[in-house]
Amino acid sequence: MDRTIRIDDEVYMALQKQAEPFTDTPNSALRKLLGLDHEQEKSSDDVQSVRLVGFSSKEGYDPEEGGEFVSFESPEEVRGFFKEMRDVLTRGEKYRYLAAGDRFWKNVQADSICLFHKNKHIVGEGKMNGKAKPYVVRDGVTEICPVTERPYAREVYFIPATIRLYKRPIPFAEAEKALGRKKPLSYMGMPKLSMADYSIIHSIAEKDGFD
């Protein structure tokens, strides 16, 4: 039976140091520290997954364009946006999304690895800190998306140390060839990849380095 425990930030940070990045969940790290068999984990929330996460057509606020939200076309423009997004997420701030994306995010396992992409180029990665949670109204203020003028549905937090920006965006075609896939990678929804797939894509990014 799964149980919920609360730990403070200092304990969580110490637990992160004991964990193997992108492999251990908080539960598996504790099992190792306690000398328990890692194979006996049964919680579905502890089953790690890898997801392709695409950006919507309008993602950034550009003051040089009169304060309008602009679409990004080239891989470098997308990479530039993700760099700004990475800087926000590494400060521990949330990634918010609208109701349209809820049917995808709400079923993603806790602590999943997300490979961010746009225009069929993978630009970076990060590991979720838990699961997507219902959006929380803070101080009586409901934040509204400037693009749609609708309230956000959920929010996701990422572990800051796991957020990486690829120096060179990886085209889907290159990733597909490396993975030996007969079917192309889908940019629709949030398709699930295996840890083996992730390892191959990560190794390609690692050769060029991270920012």
Side-chain angles (χ1 to χ4, degrees), residues 135-177:
Y135 175 79
V136 177
V137 176
R138 294 174 175 84
D139 299 324
V141 177
T142 300
E143 293 177 275
I144 302 297
C145 173
V147 178
T148 63
E149 298 184 350
R150 295 179 180 177
Y152 293 104
R154 289 185 184 242
E155 51 193 36
V156 184
Y157 287 87
F158 289 84
I159 300 171
T162 69
I163 301 169
R164 295 185 175 96
L165 172 68
Y166 297 171
K167 282 190 175 180
R168 179 182 68 86
I170 302 173
F172 272 25
E174 181 181 346
E176 290 160 2
K177 184 176 179 180

Side-chain angles (χ1 to χ4, degrees), residues 200-211:
I200 292 171
I201 293 172
H202 181 82
S203 67
I204 296 173
E206 204 167 28
K207 289 178 182 177
D208 294 301
F210 308 107
D211 277 344

Side-chain angles (χ1 to χ4, degrees), residues 10-79:
E10 186 177 11
V11 172
Y12 185 79
M13 294 286 286
L15 188 60
Q16 279 187 308
K17 292 179 181 179
Q18 297 293 326
E20 183 179 347
F22 291 120
T23 299
D24 280 325
T25 64
N27 190 65
S28 65
L30 285 170
R31 292 188 72 90
K32 287 180 180 179
L33 287 172
L34 296 171
L36 300 175
D37 184 2
H38 179 65
E39 296 301 320
Q40 291 185 7
E41 292 184 86
K42 295 181 180 179
S43 171
S44 60
D45 281 350
D46 286 333
V47 178
Q48 195 167 32
S49 72
V50 181
R51 299 282 182 153
L52 281 173
V53 181
F55 297 124
S56 65
S57 59
K58 294 184 178 180
E59 292 287 355
Y61 183 79
D62 189 347
E64 295 183 1
E65 294 291 334
E68 295 297 322
F69 275 77
V70 295
S71 297
F72 298 123
E73 300 301 332
S74 74
E76 279 306 311
E77 287 178 312
V78 176
R79 184 178 177 278

Side-chain angles (χ1 to χ4, degrees), residues 71-197:
S71 297
F72 298 123
E73 300 301 332
S74 74
E76 279 306 311
E77 287 178 312
V78 176
R79 184 178 177 278
F81 166 70
F82 184 70
K83 182 178 185 298
E84 295 180 8
M85 177 179 162
R86 177 201 61 181
D87 294 342
V88 170
L89 296 177
T90 51
R91 292 198 299 267
E93 297 182 39
K94 55 188 176 293
Y95 176 89
R96 301 162 301 181
Y97 63 89
L98 301 170
D102 201 33
R103 66 185 186 276
F104 304 120
W105 278 101
K106 69 180 181 181
N107 295 318
V108 175
Q109 292 97 324
D111 307 317
S112 289
I113 299 168
C114 296
L115 297 177
F116 294 95
H117 68 89
K118 173 67 175 175
N119 296 341
K120 297 186 177 181
H121 283 76
I122 303 172
V123 295
E125 63 183 56
K127 184 176 180 180
M128 293 169 58
N129 189 353
K131 296 188 69 172
K133 301 176 181 178
Y135 175 79
V136 177
V137 176
R138 294 174 175 84
D139 299 324
V141 177
T142 300
E143 293 177 275
I144 302 297
C145 173
V147 178
T148 63
E149 298 184 350
R150 295 179 180 177
Y152 293 104
R154 289 185 184 242
E155 51 193 36
V156 184
Y157 287 87
F158 289 84
I159 300 171
T162 69
I163 301 169
R164 295 185 175 96
L165 172 68
Y166 297 171
K167 282 190 175 180
R168 179 182 68 86
I170 302 173
F172 272 25
E174 181 181 346
E176 290 160 2
K177 184 176 179 180
L179 297 175
R181 292 177 66 100
K182 294 181 179 179
K183 288 186 176 181
L185 293 171
S186 175
Y187 60 88
M188 303 291 289
M190 290 178 62
K192 188 174 181 180
L193 301 179
S194 68
M195 284 300 296
D197 290 339

